[in-house]
Amino acid sequence: MTEAAAEPGNAHPVRYRDHVRRTRTTVRPTRRTDLVSARAARLVRAARRRGLRLPPMVWDSLLPALLLLNVVTTRAPRELPVAVALTAALALPLVWRRRAPLTVFGAVAAAAFVQWLMDVQLPADTALLVALYTAAANSGRRGTLVAGAVVEGGALLACLRWAAEGAFLTPFVAVTATVVAAAVLGVNARTTRAYLAALEERAARLEQQQDQQARLAVAEERTRITREMHDIVTHNLSVMVALTDAAVYAQHRSPDRATTAMLQISRTGRQALTDMRRSLGVLRTDEPDAERHPLPGIAQLETLAEQMCAAGLPTRVEIQGGHTHIPATAQLTVHRLVQEALTNTLKHTPTGTHAKVRVRCSAETVTVDVTDDGSCPPLPGPAPSGQGITGMRERAAAYGGKLRTGPLPGGGWEVHTRLDLGSIGAASA
């Protein structure tokens, strides 16, 4: 046995090497072909990108150039001058067809009529269809009908002169169909462009309206927060000031009463902080305080009255009718109205004044009356911050109510309003 036969893997060494060589020779051209194809594809994509960036006039110049090249390469030398002149008259105006479509159509139609008079047939007659398409795409219905009628008349004259004997109908129908197709394509392009322009205008208008609505929403939210902060800060500070004065007055004569007043000041301050966190908690989704402490409503008027009594304004609350069916926002409005009215009474009436709060609830309305018997009525103007009476009027107006304030016949002051729960403004409040 030979050495080659002794090794199983080399039983046919010559054939194995030939197979490897053939495999390599078949793989290399495939890889080269793929590389060439990839490069060609990249070149084509680059050419497309560059071509799309060309001005429209460059694209409009391609058809006249091709028509002139066709005439130069196909016509006999003796026919070349006339053919080139007519082709140029038919095709060159297409370069400016986007700028002046009707003028270009008139020039091409005139050149086509001269061509018909000279009895010369040219491939450049397709320029008349292009001009018709451009006129239909850039003019109104009247311009499209006039241009279509001119081209159709030219088609009739051309078929009468150049159609074979006895074969007039077939070419005339074919040319007419081509004319109608060009006009319809132009009208469709104009309609599509107008539709897209209307969509863009509508989108821009909607975006502007959304911006305006967003700005209005921001302004309304800012007003709401300002009104809430005014009610919370003004009321609690007024109570704290009254309690502080009482504590200072009683610190030597009655230390126990002074201690009670100081504790009440502390509770009032914590309550003010809680109310501020709750009011501002809607601005933060991760604020749990707004969920732990519900919005104050009609049920909290008794607590408000106790707070005012501790501050030196004896207050009695009378609630008529059930209030569980009243929305939380309406109850908050009632609470803030009473709170602001009692705060004004506390600030502007002498010691010994008594206040009374009466709330009458029904299925559709809530009536609020806050009266006092002070000998010196509270000032009818707004609070020093400018948000007192104005904020109360805004809250009442949100539910279709009108705030009425004024002195009572027998002395004292009255704040009256009636909220309509079914009003349109209640939904927006």
Side-chain angles (χ1 to χ4, degrees), residues 312-315 345 349-355 372-376:
L313 177 64
T315 305
T345 302
T349 57
T351 304
T353 301
H354 292 74
D372 64 78
D373 57 359
S375 58
C376 180

Side-chain angles (χ1 to χ4, degrees), residues 257-320:
R257 294 181 61 184
T259 302
T260 303
M262 295 300 294
L263 293 176
Q264 184 65 30
I265 291 173
S266 177
R267 287 193 294 269
T268 303
R270 284 194 292 268
Q271 182 64 34
L273 292 176
T274 301
D275 291 341
M276 291 180 66
R277 292 194 189 100
R278 179 177 53 237
S279 299
L280 297 177
V282 296
L283 302 179
R284 297 180 56 187
T285 58
D286 59 344
E287 180 64 46
D289 198 69
E291 299 178 0
R292 291 201 301 264
H293 302 281
L295 294 174
I298 298 177
Q300 284 73 37
L301 291 180
E302 293 289 346
T303 304
L304 178 62
E306 295 176 0
Q307 190 180 38
M308 301 305 296
C309 291
L313 177 64
T315 305
R316 184 164 58 92
V317 176
E318 180 182 346
I319 301 176
Q320 300 176 357

Side-chain angles (χ1 to χ4, degrees), residues 231-247 261 264-269 271-272 303-313 339 342-344 346-347:
D231 293 345
I232 293 171
V233 173
T234 303
H235 167 72
N236 289 283
L237 284 181
S238 299
V239 173
M240 292 171 70
V241 168
L243 290 172
T244 303
D245 293 339
Q264 184 65 30
I265 291 173
S266 177
R267 287 193 294 269
T268 303
Q271 182 64 34
T303 304
L304 178 62
E306 295 176 0
Q307 190 180 38
M308 301 305 296
C309 291
L313 177 64
Q339 185 183 61
L342 292 178
T343 302
N344 289 337
L346 177 65
K347 290 164 56 178

Side-chain angles (χ1 to χ4, degrees), residues 5 22 28 56 76 85-86 89 92-93 99 114 133 145 147 178 181 184 247 294 307 327 342 356 365 400 405:
R22 287 195 299 270
R28 288 175 182 174
L86 291 175
L92 287 182
R99 296 184 178 180
V114 173
Y133 165 82
L145 292 177
T178 306
V184 169
Q307 190 180 38
L342 292 178
K356 181 180 179 181
T365 61
T405 61

Side-chain angles (χ1 to χ4, degrees), residues 32-359:
R32 291 177 181 175
T33 304
D34 294 340
L35 291 175
V36 172
S37 300
R39 292 175 181 175
R42 286 196 295 270
L43 291 175
V44 170
R45 287 195 295 269
R48 286 180 179 178
R49 287 195 298 269
R50 294 178 180 177
L52 292 175
R53 297 175 184 174
L54 294 177
M57 186 172 290
V58 176
W59 292 105
D60 295 338
S61 302
L62 293 179
L63 180 60
L66 292 176
L67 292 176
L68 288 173
L69 180 63
N70 177 68
V71 169
V72 170
T73 55
T74 58
R75 289 288 176 171
R78 58 185 180 82
E79 301 176 353
L80 191 59
V82 176
V84 169
L86 291 175
T87 301
L90 287 169
L92 287 182
L94 297 179
V95 178
W96 297 275
R97 66 186 181 91
R98 299 177 191 268
R99 296 184 178 180
L102 294 179
T103 303
V104 168
F105 175 80
V108 174
F113 183 68
V114 173
Q115 172 199 354
W116 181 82
L117 291 177
M118 297 181 66
D119 195 10
V120 178
Q121 296 185 15
L122 293 172
D125 290 334
T126 55
L128 197 59
L129 297 176
V130 176
L132 173 62
Y133 165 82
T134 306
N138 294 275
S139 61
R141 180 181 302 179
R142 181 178 301 179
T144 302
L145 292 177
V146 172
V150 170
V151 177
E152 184 64 19
L156 177 62
L157 294 177
C159 291
L160 288 175
R161 170 167 289 185
W162 294 317
E165 186 176 355
F168 168 79
L169 185 60
T170 300
F172 179 72
V173 171
V175 174
T176 301
T178 306
V179 172
V180 172
V184 169
L185 288 176
V187 172
N188 186 35
R190 184 183 73 229
T191 306
T192 303
R193 186 167 59 248
Y195 178 71
L196 292 177
L199 288 181
E200 292 179 357
E201 182 182 358
R202 182 182 179 185
R205 186 169 61 253
L206 290 177
E207 184 177 359
Q208 184 179 3
Q209 291 178 356
Q210 290 177 356
D211 292 341
Q212 293 177 353
Q213 292 176 357
R215 286 193 294 269
L216 290 176
V218 170
E220 292 178 358
E221 185 66 13
R222 183 179 301 172
T223 303
R224 186 195 67 81
I225 294 176
T226 302
R227 190 166 55 235
E228 288 290 327
M229 290 299 101
H230 170 268
D231 293 345
I232 293 171
V233 173
T234 303
H235 167 72
N236 289 283
L237 284 181
S238 299
V239 173
M240 292 171 70
V241 168
L243 290 172
T244 303
D245 293 339
V248 171
Y249 179 77
Q251 62 178 344
H252 299 295
R253 299 181 180 182
S254 179
D256 295 338
R257 294 181 61 184
T259 302
T260 303
M262 295 300 294
L263 293 176
Q264 184 65 30
I265 291 173
S266 177
R267 287 193 294 269
T268 303
R270 284 194 292 268
Q271 182 64 34
L273 292 176
T274 301
D275 291 341
M276 291 180 66
R277 292 194 189 100
R278 179 177 53 237
S279 299
L280 297 177
V282 296
L283 302 179
R284 297 180 56 187
T285 58
D286 59 344
E287 180 64 46
D289 198 69
E291 299 178 0
R292 291 201 301 264
H293 302 281
L295 294 174
I298 298 177
Q300 284 73 37
L301 291 180
E302 293 289 346
T303 304
L304 178 62
E306 295 176 0
Q307 190 180 38
M308 301 305 296
C309 291
L313 177 64
T315 305
R316 184 164 58 92
V317 176
E318 180 182 346
I319 301 176
Q320 300 176 357
H323 56 81
T324 56
H325 68 283
I326 300 176
T329 53
Q331 294 199 33
L332 175 63
T333 300
V334 173
H335 187 277
R336 295 303 187 203
L337 289 173
V338 174
Q339 185 183 61
E340 181 64 25
L342 292 178
T343 302
N344 289 337
T345 302
L346 177 65
K347 290 164 56 178
H348 301 295
T349 57
T351 304
T353 301
H354 292 74
K356 181 180 179 181
V357 178
R358 179 181 297 175
V359 178

